[in-house]
Amino acid sequence: MRKFNIRKVLDGLTAVSSSSSASSSSQQQQSGNRESDIPETLQSEHFQLCKTVRHGFPYQPSALAFDPVQKILAIGTQTGALRLFGRPGVECYCQHDSEAAVIQLQFLINEGALVSALADDTLHLWNLRQKRPAILHSLKFNRERQRSTQKQTEKEAGIRLDKWITFCHLPFQSKWLYVGTERGNIHIVNVESFTLSGYVIMWNKAIELSSKSHPGPVVHISDNPMDEGKLLIGYESGTVVLWDLKSKKADYRYTHDEAIHSVAWHHEGKQFICSHSDGTLTIWNIKSPAKPLQTITPHGKQLKDGKKPEPCKPILKVEYKTARAGEPFIILSGGLSYDTVGRRPCLTVMHGKSTAVLEMDYSIVDFLTLCETPYPNDFQEPYAVVVLLEKDLVVIDLAQNGYPIFENPYPLNIHESPVTCCEYFADCPADLIPALYSVGARQKRQGYSKKEWPISGGNWGSVTQSYPEIIITGHADGSIKFWDASAITLQVLYKLKTAKVFEKSRSKDDRPNTDIVDEDPYAIQIISWCLESRMLCIAGVSAHVIIYRFSKQEVTTEVIPMLEVRLLYEINDIDSPDGEQAPPLPTPGTGSNPQSIAPQSHPSTSSSSSDGLRDNVPCLKIKSSPLKQSAGYQIELVIQLVWVSGEPPQQITSLAVNSAYGLVVFGNCNGTAMVDYLQKTVLLNLGTIELYGSNDPYRREPRSPRKSRQPSGAGLCDINEGTTVPEDRCKSPTSAKMSRKLSLPTELKPDLDVRDNSFSRSRSSSVTSIDKESREAISALHFCETFTRKADTSPSPCLWVGTTLGTVLVIVLNLPPGGEQRLSQPVIVSPSGTILRLKGAILRMAFLDTTGSLVPPAREPWREHNVSEDKDEKDKSKKRRPVSVSPSSSSQEISENQYAVICSEKQAKVISLPSQNCIHKQNITETSFVLRGDIVALSNSSCLACFCANGHIMTFSLPSLRPLLDVYYLPLTNMRIARTFCFTNNGQASYLVSPTEIQRITYSQETCENLQEMLGELFTPVETPEAPNRGFFKGLFGGGAQSLDREELFGESASGKASRSLAQHIPGPGGIEGVKGSASGVIGELARARIALDERGQKLGELDERTAAMLSSADSFSKHAHEMMMKYKDKKWYQF
């Protein structure tokens, strides 16, 4: 019987409904027989949304841990995230559901497990033996809100007032975890069962009975390296206790006047060192509790007459590491003198008589010393220090003179300057990544340690995606970084500094008063990149555009080519035509009279107009001296918008470059300008109303320019986390406030609620700065070779322009022949008269051929321009023409040769060309708006992918716009997400999830299925190093390490059960219970198949038994029947 697929039936119903609502009845009649011409292969089963990997530095780090055997590093954050790092390319991201801050991490060394302690009084045990770590057990400590009364016993009072976890310690090769609390008590947790032991060390038992004050929270717990039965407990107030676990009493108590921040043992177990709040270190002999053996002030000024040194800042952490050859290392953070105002945070390494002070760029969160052995009772042999900074991770080589740092192989410097925009390109040309890597390799810094990166655990996953991927990030300082993002990894390829073309003002007083932003005037807003020709075009926040050409040769540019453009047009009010009714489309020769625009440029001639207003002045000053340009991207042309009669230039909202035409076009809320970057001339400079000509559907009233300067905010959101979008303006794209208010379509304004995902009313089509007033801005630009008018019989080069009011205009380009004529003859630009309308601002445009495949814009292959061409190459370049599409036209009638796909904030349309009939329409959202829409290639087909402000990710088939995917994924809580979200080919997407991290996701079912194989393995089977040899005499006289049977002390039989009200055990989803319910992988499928086979075999066995029983019964019946027959065989009827 044929299998019935309900999903395909639903897809068909959706397609029928969407096509029926897409067009009017007349359009349906025209296009109904053509809908079947393009078979659509994409179905809803081809789509699935899931996160793949997260790259970048963990945002707001708070904890650090290292497994010295597995060589894996773990970092916890204030938002409950976990980042695990192995060898370069092996990374993992996990998240605690509560999102509480991680206060401490502890590896179960070489066990493939990790314990995390959170600020919400919970402990979690993570299983790292799977590619996606999961929580096996959780333990929730209960806070007692009621204060203790005098009638309660000391023990009850101590337990009930426990607030939260302050310190954890897990001895090597032990299953008992010591947990210190703010109240000063220590509880013990069995990490195998994640249950509490009845053994509790009470603070009032640990300190002197005569002491009248509370010792404060527990800041340190560790067992004596030579005697596991002795536990060293450090209290914040300055008291240290050596606790005997067996006798349950304190052996020694060490008191100091200053508060303690950390404690560390010498490996022989006879001495320990404490760091204090006054910048001192005290070294104690365990058998001399009266006074410290030595007091050191590493950064204090030694005064004469034997006086104490001046107090310094607190030493937050100290580590005491020994080596067989040479003096021990004392490594500490903090402790600087108070008079070092403005000095950067430091890590101090004291080795013998030498003291090295290593300055850091950011505050130190934590540090760990990497040692050769995991055993605390052996010489540690330190070889490196991992320093976790507020915004960086630094690893210092202790084995080389000068303590050089290791070159960090992880992509942790995404946020080196705040990210202001992001673009993602999948399935790039194969030669592009090697070309970028070759020029980027010359930019690498020198002076790193020559040793291999010490964090080398884990194994790489299998590479199932073979296509190249590149992510480009634009930054606030004007830099652009190219990243190799192939196969779920991320590696920096090349860095371009766009700001070096401009003169930098040395101080604020030197800044010209033409700046439209007070900070970060070079910030990148928009990136347009042609992959084949490698032409790069960027738009900056100071209304500047720079065009770059890629070259492998180094050149020196004597004079930087530049153009200045006056682009200003002011209107008062706009009256929108009713609904979506488009104005009558003019026909050539009747409705509009296209006139060619002659090339023109606007050099800066004066800095002020006759009435004293600032005029013809750009915002930035270009360098006048020769500019040396290294191999890589080199400046082709700089374009700047200038002040006009006291009006500052408005920021650029859209940008496009085409290498085959040699053109770049950009627009803002005043209009659009097109530049021929080969001839260095302005071809088009029109206000938006002038693009309409006589076909303007709006009633507008021109008005004079504003006399007062208003700051044009960058439209680039504050990089700081946790800020919503206020209504006021800001100074900078990265300042603490949101930028200028962004325009809303008129139909959306009354419906938006301030509570709508904390997004308020500030937004625009491309999330760039568009004036608050109702001016029509250019929101989308697309070069293509298609039909520009209804009567066209062949495609021609043109530019499609989309505006924030939902209008699409077409501009015809008449290009001269290639070669030398292209450089001498002008490009003729003329409006076509074609006007299309959608609801909402236009976001994206693309074109499909008759097979439904995407038609790429015309482009040129890359060639080296800084090398003289021979004669043959010159002949080739003369003959080179832009790549075009040759349509197959019928001799009898004009066939529908192309389809234009247009996506706006509210809806999408598919327009048949050249007839300009709307054959499909889809209203994407009614209550929200689309933030990003991309027409992408997937599985040898294409689709429209959209991300809405309400958090939904949707995909639609092409050309029928049938819904294929609609998943609620991410609410828009920050403009950073809207600014950086982008879709690309093969079902990939990315966005900036925090100011320092890029999150990559996929909406492809195939990628989701292969993801498990692509991920790396964190845990690898490694032999635990042998324990240090105790030696003959130490073994004979008992001088070696003393072991302890902790099970005998802490087990239920010895210490009893802990109070149930103290903590609650919560099984994790990674445990057996969770695995049973969520086994959806290959192993789960195999298990289910095995169970099904067993059940089938059992049923077959039962059937076999029943068959045998029936056979036996049949035989018995046959036997009885035969006996009956023989009995009555010879008898007559009357004998019965």
Side-chain angles (χ1 to χ4, degrees), residues 507-751:
S507 64
K508 291 185 178 181
D509 298 334
D510 297 337
R511 287 181 181 175
N513 54 5
T514 54
D515 289 359
I516 58 174
V517 287
D518 295 339
E519 297 175 8
D520 302 325
Y522 313 111
I524 307 297
Q525 264 188 307
I526 311 174
I527 298 171
S528 179
W529 194 31
C530 177
L531 299 174
E532 284 74 16
S533 67
R534 304 179 190 172
M535 292 297 296
L536 175 69
C537 190
I538 65 99
V541 74
S542 295
H544 63 278
V545 173
I546 309 178
I547 305 159
Y548 288 92
R549 193 185 292 275
F550 186 85
S551 174
K552 295 182 179 179
Q553 307 293 324
E554 185 177 290
V555 297
T556 300
T557 306
E558 297 296 330
V559 179
I560 299 171
M562 60 169 286
L563 282 175
E564 293 179 358
V565 179
R566 293 171 63 93
L567 186 60
L568 179 72
Y569 190 83
E570 289 282 351
I571 49 95
N572 254 343
D573 296 311
I574 295 176
D575 293 331
S576 174
D578 296 334
E580 292 182 57
Q581 184 177 1
L585 297 176
T587 56
T590 58
S592 71
N593 184 19
Q595 295 179 354
S596 61
I597 293 97
Q600 55 183 335
S601 84
H602 302 273
S604 177
T605 55
S606 64
S607 61
S608 62
S609 59
S610 57
D611 55 357
L613 296 175
R614 200 170 295 115
D615 193 47
N616 274 354
V617 182
C619 300
L620 301 173
K621 184 179 180 182
I622 296 177
K623 285 183 179 177
S624 56
S625 57
L627 181 65
K628 184 179 179 181
Q629 301 192 77
S630 304
Y633 275 103
Q634 299 168 354
I635 294 170
E636 176 79 8
L637 180 64
V638 180
I639 307 166
Q640 291 193 91
L641 298 183
V642 296
W643 286 68
V644 180
S645 302
E647 171 74 7
Q650 297 298 309
Q651 289 171 8
I652 293 163
T653 57
S654 56
L655 176 71
V657 64
N658 188 283
S659 59
Y661 305 157
L663 303 178
V664 64
V665 62
F666 55 92
N668 61 11
C669 60
N670 286 330
T672 185
M674 186 186 298
V675 171
D676 183 343
Y677 64 78
L678 297 177
Q679 298 186 22
K680 311 292 189 292
T681 56
V682 179
L683 301 175
L684 179 76
N685 183 5
L686 291 177
T688 311
I689 186 173
E690 296 174 282
L691 289 171
Y692 288 94
S694 60
N695 305 299
D696 188 3
Y698 305 104
R699 297 188 298 275
R700 317 178 199 239
E701 297 178 8
R703 78 171 180 190
S704 59
R706 291 171 295 187
K707 302 299 181 183
S708 60
R709 173 192 172 191
Q710 296 185 3
S712 288
L716 313 175
C717 175
D718 158 36
I719 286 300
N720 297 321
E721 188 71 21
T723 57
T724 55
V725 185
E727 293 287 335
D728 51 350
R729 303 169 187 263
C730 84
K731 297 181 179 179
S732 151
T734 53
S735 63
K737 294 182 180 178
M738 184 51 209
S739 64
R740 313 185 56 184
K741 290 201 278 187
L742 314 176
S743 73
L744 280 175
T746 50
E747 67 271 11
L748 191 61
K749 283 182 180 177
D751 301 329

Side-chain angles (χ1 to χ4, degrees), residues 402-424:
Y403 304 130
I405 65 170
F406 289 87
E407 184 177 9
N408 198 322
Y410 306 134
L412 300 183
N413 60 341
I414 292 172
H415 63 287
E416 187 177 16
S417 173
V419 177
T420 52
C421 67
C422 187
E423 292 294 337
Y424 191 2

Side-chain angles (χ1 to χ4, degrees), residues 875-887:
D875 292 340
K876 287 180 183 178
S877 65
K878 287 180 183 179
K879 296 176 183 178
R880 184 181 290 114
R881 293 287 295 167
V883 179
S884 62
V885 181
S886 55

Side-chain angles (χ1 to χ4, degrees), residues 769-998:
S769 175
I770 302 175
D771 204 327
K772 159 185 165 181
E773 301 159 12
S774 311
R775 290 192 288 179
E776 186 176 15
I778 307 299
S779 58
L781 297 164
H782 187 82
F783 285 106
C784 56
E785 195 153 332
T786 186
F787 303 91
T788 58
R789 302 179 181 90
K790 288 185 178 181
D792 284 357
T793 58
S794 62
S796 59
C798 58
L799 170 71
W800 285 52
V801 181
T803 74
T804 52
L805 293 183
T807 304
V808 177
L809 305 153
V810 183
I811 296 174
V812 181
L813 309 174
N814 191 351
L815 299 166
E820 294 179 357
Q821 294 183 52
R822 174 64 183 86
L823 300 177
S824 57
Q825 297 182 15
V827 177
I828 307 300
V829 182
S830 59
S832 67
T834 297
I835 299 178
L836 306 171
R837 295 215 61 241
L838 275 77
K839 185 164 67 173
I842 305 298
L843 298 181
R844 199 74 59 195
M845 296 174 281
F847 295 85
L848 306 177
D849 60 15
T850 51
T851 65
S853 301
L854 280 171
V855 179
R859 70 262 192 201
E860 231 180 22
W862 176 80
R863 59 190 178 91
E864 180 60 69
H865 281 256
N866 291 331
V867 177
S868 58
E869 297 177 337
D870 55 22
K871 186 177 179 181
D872 293 339
E873 287 292 327
K874 286 185 177 180
D875 292 340
K876 287 180 183 178
S877 65
K878 287 180 183 179
K879 296 176 183 178
R880 184 181 290 114
R881 293 287 295 167
V883 179
S884 62
V885 181
S886 55
S888 56
S889 58
S890 171
S891 59
Q892 297 179 0
E893 62 174 359
I894 301 173
S895 63
E896 304 288 343
N897 289 305
Q898 283 187 2
Y899 301 94
V901 182
I902 307 171
C903 176
S904 76
E905 294 175 318
K906 308 292 284 185
Q907 62 181 197
K909 284 185 179 181
V910 176
I911 311 292
S912 178
L913 299 176
S915 67
Q916 298 180 7
N917 291 327
C918 175
I919 61 170
H920 295 289
K921 182 179 77 173
Q922 179 66 244
N923 291 322
I924 299 172
T925 176
E926 294 292 341
T927 58
S928 184
F929 49 88
V930 179
L931 285 163
R932 176 80 183 212
D934 286 294
I935 295 95
V936 294
L938 176 66
S939 302
N940 297 320
S941 186
S942 56
C943 66
L944 169 65
C946 298
F947 172 51
C948 291
N950 60 10
H952 283 253
I953 289 178
M954 296 179 282
T955 61
F956 301 91
S957 67
L958 290 177
S960 68
L961 295 176
R962 180 168 40 93
L964 298 173
L965 177 76
D966 187 353
V967 177
Y968 177 75
Y969 171 70
L970 178 75
L972 185 68
T973 55
N974 196 294
M975 282 287 288
R976 179 192 60 251
I977 299 170
R979 193 182 64 250
T980 57
F981 199 104
C982 48
F983 296 97
T984 187
N985 296 332
N986 298 330
Q988 307 295 330
S990 70
Y991 61 96
L992 209 66
V993 68
S994 75
T996 62
E997 296 167 290
I998 290 177

Side-chain angles (χ1 to χ4, degrees), residues 342-378:
R343 189 171 181 180
R344 294 190 293 182
C346 294
L347 185 83
T348 305
V349 180
M350 302 172 67
H351 186 219
K353 296 182 179 179
S354 68
T355 300
V357 181
L358 309 175
E359 289 191 341
M360 303 292 162
D361 292 332
Y362 307 100
S363 299
I364 297 174
V365 176
D366 197 0
F367 73 89
L368 288 173
T369 308
L370 307 189
C371 302
E372 297 288 354
T373 177
Y375 294 95
N377 58 353
D378 194 10

